[in-house]
Amino acid sequence: MLNFSFSNSTRIHFGEGQTQIIAKEIPANARVLLAYGGGSIKSNGIYDEVIAGLGERFVVEFSGIEPNPSYDTLIKAVPLIKEHQLDYILAVGGGSVADGCKFISAAAFYEGDDPWDIIAKRAKITQALPIGVVLTLPATGSESNAGSVVTRHGHKGAFSHPLLQPQFAVLDPKVTLSLSDRQVGNGVVDAFVHTMEQYLTYGVNGKVQDRFSEGLLLTLIEDGPKALAAESKQDLEVRANIMWSATLALNGLIGAGVPQDWTTHMIGHELTAAHGIDHARTLSIVLPAVMKVRREVKREKLLQYAERVWQLKDGDDDSRIDRAIALTEAFFTTMGVPTRMSHVDLNSAHIDNLIANLTEHGMVKLGEQRAVTPEISRQILETAL
């Protein structure tokens, strides 16, 4: 196992009706930016619960944070913070809203010419507004980590800082009952691939991390389809297990002390930036191709994955790996997401631009061993056709 330091300071309040806790979590004298997305929180009842929890606090609302949050949208919140002297951000929504609020939190104190430098030039973050999250769409784990991804001019840029770690997060599985099948499928796949990025690398005898990861994968495989099936899609226990799995997939726990990949995400980001494809759907396209192209360097963990997650014990090594990859693709199909570029109307003619973008954005040494060059990324995209 690799050396590591681990801390997660986000207080999680899990379960039905937990939105009431925001009355205790946010200081009574706080001046709050209430940030959310397209307004679905007003139709599913969460908005009213949040407003009730905020009580008499001074609140300024900021709506319209889109999936794959845009810099041009987020930056509009900064003048509101300064004008109204706001000192707390409450993000109500999915991972995109949480990610966006992390950028707003840091940008509010940025003293340079262009806050995008926080991402593009890794400008130093010395101060940030505290953040709380009321999660409505389990997927990214952003509610309990310090990372964020923001898009500007076709570039999806990631950044992270301890000051951006949410102070608390409310996870009420009941909220997820109003999600569309597409949102549910995307969320399950996002959590699945987050887990795989930290699991499907090479062995370092991290038994605890491996078995945590395998438990999350098994839970998502078991309960993901149930959240789409007519007879079980209103089952709160199913939704609760998915919600908690998505949080644990990226709160730092399973990645502590083990190598991590993230090739699938970096290539996926370019697919989203260039073609507007849902983040999770880029992951479901790219991951099987990564598994195929990188099968030799991942052989040990692929065989472990085949046996422990898919219970494949018969046949030779190569056949077990083949079946494990095929079953992964079949699971993605069950969740309603694509597994080929052709499924989203992309073909070989689009690959040159994607590789050029990866290179421009410095994504030239990807993977757990930093061995995935643009040439290997091209092989992955060609395999994904």
Side-chain angles (χ1 to χ4, degrees):
M1 192 187 306
L2 308 178
N3 291 353
F4 67 91
S5 299
F6 173 72
S7 173
N8 191 302
S9 59
T10 302
R11 294 180 295 277
I12 301 291
H13 303 287
F14 191 99
E16 191 172 351
Q18 288 281 47
T19 49
Q20 62 186 349
I21 206 73
I22 65 176
K24 297 180 180 179
E25 281 283 6
I26 300 177
N29 62 348
R31 298 174 67 83
V32 181
L33 180 74
L34 173 59
Y36 51 94
S40 62
I41 64 169
K42 293 187 176 180
S43 60
N44 62 18
I46 293 302
Y47 175 84
D48 292 337
E49 292 182 19
V50 168
I51 291 297
L54 289 169
E56 299 302 315
R57 294 169 181 81
F58 182 82
V59 176
V60 174
E61 296 187 26
F62 181 74
S63 63
I65 299 177
E66 58 272 87
N68 303 302
S70 163
Y71 170 90
D72 292 335
T73 297
L74 301 174
I75 202 65
K76 295 174 184 176
V78 174
L80 292 176
I81 290 171
K82 295 180 178 179
E83 176 186 353
H84 298 285
Q85 297 181 317
L86 306 181
D87 56 17
Y88 204 102
I89 301 177
L90 181 61
V92 183
S96 292
V97 174
D99 278 11
C101 286
K102 291 173 187 177
F103 178 77
I104 294 168
S105 169
F109 293 99
Y110 184 70
E111 296 180 352
D113 294 330
D114 187 355
W116 180 248
D117 288 346
I118 293 170
I119 298 173
K121 298 182 180 179
R122 295 294 186 263
K124 190 174 182 179
I125 297 172
T126 59
Q127 192 174 357
L129 290 177
I131 301 170
V133 178
V134 177
L135 186 67
T136 62
L137 198 166
T140 70
S142 188
E143 68 278 2
S144 67
N145 66 47
S148 172
V149 180
V150 174
T151 300
R152 188 187 194 190
H153 299 158
H155 176 203
K156 284 191 71 170
F159 70 109
S160 178
H161 194 278
L163 288 174
L164 305 177
Q165 182 87 21
Q167 294 189 339
F168 76 94
V170 173
L171 281 64
D172 183 348
K174 187 175 181 180
V175 176
T176 70
L177 295 176
S178 64
L179 297 175
S180 69
D181 285 356
R182 186 184 184 104
Q183 289 172 314
V184 170
N186 282 356
V188 168
V189 169
D190 201 357
F192 187 95
V193 180
H194 284 161
T195 306
M196 292 288 277
E197 295 276 34
Q198 300 162 89
Y199 170 77
L200 197 69
T201 55
Y202 57 86
V204 292
N205 202 29
K207 293 181 179 179
V208 174
Q209 297 92 323
D210 279 0
R211 289 190 167 97
F212 266 126
S213 294
E214 289 153 4
L216 294 175
L217 296 171
L218 285 164
T219 299
L220 292 166
I221 290 167
E222 181 178 341
D223 278 2
K226 291 179 183 177
L228 297 180
E231 66 274 12
S232 52
K233 67 190 311 177
Q234 297 297 311
D235 189 326
L236 272 180
E237 291 299 323
V238 167
R239 298 304 181 107
N241 280 306
I242 291 172
M243 193 171 220
W244 191 224
S245 294
T247 295
L248 290 173
L250 204 58
N251 73 345
L253 179 65
I254 65 170
V258 297
Q260 301 183 28
D261 185 348
W262 301 104
T263 297
T264 296
H265 270 71
M266 296 305 102
I267 296 175
H269 284 173
E270 300 302 343
L271 283 165
T272 295
H275 301 288
I277 305 165
D278 298 2
H279 172 61
R281 291 169 176 245
T282 69
L283 304 182
S284 62
I285 290 169
V286 177
L287 177 64
V290 169
M291 296 167 80
K292 294 169 186 175
V293 171
R294 303 295 288 162
R295 66 184 289 153
E296 290 309 314
V297 296
K298 295 179 181 290
R299 175 172 285 268
E300 175 190 354
K301 292 303 285 286
L302 275 167
L303 288 168
Q304 181 177 310
Y305 170 69
E307 178 175 352
R308 294 188 184 178
V309 176
W310 294 110
Q311 288 75 55
L312 299 175
K313 300 179 182 180
D314 298 328
D316 61 30
D317 289 358
D318 284 327
S319 70
R320 294 201 305 278
I321 290 173
D322 289 340
R323 283 182 285 160
I325 295 172
L327 285 167
T328 305
E329 292 179 303
F331 168 63
F332 289 165
T333 299
T334 299
M335 297 311 303
V337 296
T339 57
R340 296 286 188 279
M341 288 174 63
S342 59
H343 296 168
V344 292
D345 299 323
L346 298 180
N347 55 48
S348 58
H350 296 94
I351 292 179
D352 283 348
N353 183 60
L354 293 168
I355 297 300
N357 290 344
L358 277 168
T359 303
E360 179 184 349
H361 299 147
M363 301 298 146
V364 295
K365 294 182 179 179
L366 301 176
E368 60 268 34
Q369 296 169 324
R370 296 184 59 79
V372 178
T373 61
E375 290 74 22
I376 295 175
S377 291
R378 181 181 294 276
Q379 294 175 31
I380 290 167
L381 287 166
E382 288 172 348
T383 302
L385 289 171

